[in-house]
Amino acid sequence: MEYTIDVFFRQSWRDERLKFDGPMQVLPLNNLLASKIWTPDTFFHNGKKSVAHNMTTPNKLLRLVDNGTLLYTMRLTIHAECPMHLEDFPMDAHACPLKFGSYAYTNNEVIYLWTQGDEMSVSVAEDGSRLNQYDLLGHVIGKETISSSTGEYVVMTTYFHLKRKIGYFVIQTYLPCIMTVILSQVSFWLNRESVPARTVFGVTTVLTMTTLSISARNSLPKVAYATAMDWFMAVCYAFVFSALIEFATVNYFTKRSWAWDGKKEGMEIREPFQANMARMIKDMTRESTTLSKKTNNTFNIVGTTYAINVAKDQGLTTISKSAGGASAKHPYLNKVVDPYAEAKKSYNRVSKVDKISRIIFPVLFFIFNLGYWATYVNRKPAIMKANNLN
């Protein structure tokens, strides 16, 4: 990553050749004189681009003290490189370096020192940090020595500690992912015969998670490892996809149990039901004093007419009442229930898989969120410094 910093870069050194005696102790000089005297060849090791401001005139200051000490100040805008480790993204923290030193003079010729100590040499204005995605936690300054084929050089370092703000990602990524997972679990409460509704829930939530994952990755550098957000979205995607697989499992076994129960329970119940119906008809004919068979397959029992109809299944006999007073004389006729119809009603019962999923899925997702946020939010920022640039 690159970051931009606007600095007032001050350098001070002593040149014995520039001593003077006069009425003024400090002599302001024109910045054009900087090209006439010796100045340090300072450059920024991790700078990718630096701009010296020239509006309306070159923003430079040059002062000479009577003992030969010079103060050279300029305003610079520096685009510097900041190596990042995004394993904890977006709860990550970074140490962005700013390194400078001499380009040609080794440490035997030029030595750099912080003039005001480690605390006061670098200061950041209270309103100087204008970062939308980061909080500036502080800075640490130091000094390093690097070796190259031309000798050893002194490098002055300043590390700016940055902590990423998580609010944007909570609103744009985390909350939509959580709501999508909750929406996918709503399908567990729908009737398992509602195939279109549950299919829409499953497919829509899977596509939504895919879209969220793609949009989140587009705003990140192309890294070869998984970030904290990637792990969260992967688990959310697993929950959503598992909800779709759960519905497919329930629907598959529902169809098999429907075809099996229709045959098995019908065969087991049909014969006893036919025998009971035949016995009931015989009992009614014995108690009746008058029985006359009509041509339209009806029987007249004590002034009440019943029709005997043959069902589509052979041997399954039903009795239909054609007179209103039969239920009062024979109340047990109203209690006759077709067991075959009751066997069909078992198809509408809630699946055990759905009942278990209603509990297991929300509990597991809650435990995952509890562990995830407890791990990353309470973790102290792991600020990693970049390796020395040779």
Side-chain angles (χ1 to χ4, degrees), residues 70-81:
L70 290 104
L71 175 64
Y72 187 37
T73 301
M74 63 184 70
R75 184 189 174 197
L76 301 174
T77 296
I78 305 169
H79 301 271
E81 184 180 10

Side-chain angles (χ1 to χ4, degrees), residues 59-112:
N59 299 167
K60 296 180 181 180
L61 180 147
L62 182 62
R63 290 177 182 175
L64 176 61
V65 185
D66 56 0
N67 62 357
T69 301
L70 290 104
L71 175 64
Y72 187 37
T73 301
M74 63 184 70
R75 184 189 174 197
L76 301 174
T77 296
I78 305 169
H79 301 271
E81 184 180 10
C82 179
M84 286 189 167
H85 301 273
L86 301 175
E87 289 86 354
D88 295 339
F89 176 86
M91 283 78 69
D92 51 340
H94 305 280
C96 292
L98 182 63
K99 300 183 178 184
F100 60 92
S102 175
Y103 183 82
Y105 298 105
T106 64
N107 57 1
N108 295 325
E109 299 169 325
V110 173
I111 298 176
Y112 284 81

Side-chain angles (χ1 to χ4, degrees), residues 2 11 85 112 124 126 149-150 167 182 192 194 199 212 247 274 356 359 361 366 368 386:
E2 295 182 14
Q11 301 179 90
H85 301 273
Y112 284 81
V124 180
E126 294 182 357
S149 59
T150 57
I182 294 175
R192 61 178 176 174
S194 303
T199 303
L212 289 173
F247 163 65
Q274 294 174 356
I356 296 174
I359 300 174
F361 273 73
F366 175 78
F368 163 72

Side-chain angles (χ1 to χ4, degrees), residues 177-188 201-202 204-205 208:
C177 288
I178 293 174
M179 297 304 297
T180 303
V181 173
I182 294 175
L183 182 63
S184 68
Q185 297 175 5
V186 172
S187 63
F188 300 151
F201 266 104
T204 303
T205 51
T208 302

Side-chain angles (χ1 to χ4, degrees), residues 203-223:
V203 175
T204 303
T205 51
V206 169
L207 294 178
T208 302
M209 282 302 307
T210 303
T211 304
L212 289 173
S213 178
I214 295 174
S215 62
R217 292 294 299 179
N218 287 337
S219 61
L220 281 177
K222 303 301 185 289
V223 294

Side-chain angles (χ1 to χ4, degrees), residues 1 82-96 131 133-137 160-169 174 217 219-221 223 225-230 372-373 375-384:
M1 186 195 80
C82 179
M84 286 189 167
H85 301 273
L86 301 175
E87 289 86 354
D88 295 339
F89 176 86
M91 283 78 69
D92 51 340
H94 305 280
C96 292
L131 300 174
Q133 293 189 27
Y134 294 92
D135 288 322
L136 181 61
L137 303 179
F160 299 97
H161 293 175
L162 304 177
K163 179 73 169 66
R164 195 186 301 271
K165 298 177 182 178
I166 195 176
Y168 170 82
F169 301 97
Y174 283 100
R217 292 294 299 179
S219 61
L220 281 177
V223 294
Y225 49 84
T227 64
M229 180 181 287
D230 291 334
Y372 180 87
W373 294 109
T375 300
Y376 286 102
V377 174
N378 296 329
R379 177 184 296 182
K380 293 182 180 180
I383 298 176
M384 304 178 65

Side-chain angles (χ1 to χ4, degrees), residues 266-384:
M267 293 298 294
E268 293 178 351
I269 295 172
R270 183 175 299 160
E271 294 182 359
F273 179 68
Q274 294 174 356
N276 291 335
M277 290 299 298
R279 242 185 338 282
M280 185 173 59
I281 294 173
K282 290 180 181 179
D283 292 340
M284 287 190 297
T285 54
R286 287 188 191 133
E287 295 175 357
S288 302
T289 56
T290 306
L291 179 62
S292 60
K293 184 175 182 181
K294 296 184 179 181
T295 59
N296 58 354
N297 294 332
T298 60
F299 289 89
N300 189 353
I301 305 174
V302 195
T304 302
T305 302
Y306 294 91
I308 300 179
N309 300 324
V310 179
K312 292 181 180 180
D313 297 326
Q314 294 182 359
L316 181 60
T317 308
T318 59
I319 298 180
S320 61
K321 180 174 62 178
S322 61
S327 61
K329 296 181 181 180
H330 303 281
Y332 55 88
L333 291 177
N334 293 331
K335 299 180 181 180
V336 176
V337 180
D338 187 0
Y340 187 67
E342 289 295 320
K344 291 183 179 181
K345 290 181 180 180
S346 64
Y347 175 67
N348 296 320
R349 289 180 298 182
V350 179
S351 172
K352 291 182 179 179
V353 178
D354 279 341
K355 290 181 179 179
I356 296 174
S357 299
R358 292 173 185 176
I359 300 174
I360 291 181
F361 273 73
V363 170
L364 289 179
F365 190 62
F366 175 78
I367 293 174
F368 163 72
N369 276 274
L370 190 63
Y372 180 87
W373 294 109
T375 300
Y376 286 102
V377 174
N378 296 329
R379 177 184 296 182
K380 293 182 180 180
I383 298 176
M384 304 178 65

Side-chain angles (χ1 to χ4, degrees), residues 11-29 37 61-72:
Q11 301 179 90
S12 179
W13 67 95
R14 187 173 180 177
D15 192 340
E16 296 287 343
R17 298 171 296 177
L18 299 177
K19 286 183 180 181
F20 68 93
D21 293 325
M24 298 180 62
Q25 185 179 2
V26 179
L27 180 61
L29 302 176
I37 62 176
L61 180 147
L62 182 62
R63 290 177 182 175
L64 176 61
V65 185
D66 56 0
N67 62 357
T69 301
L70 290 104
L71 175 64
Y72 187 37

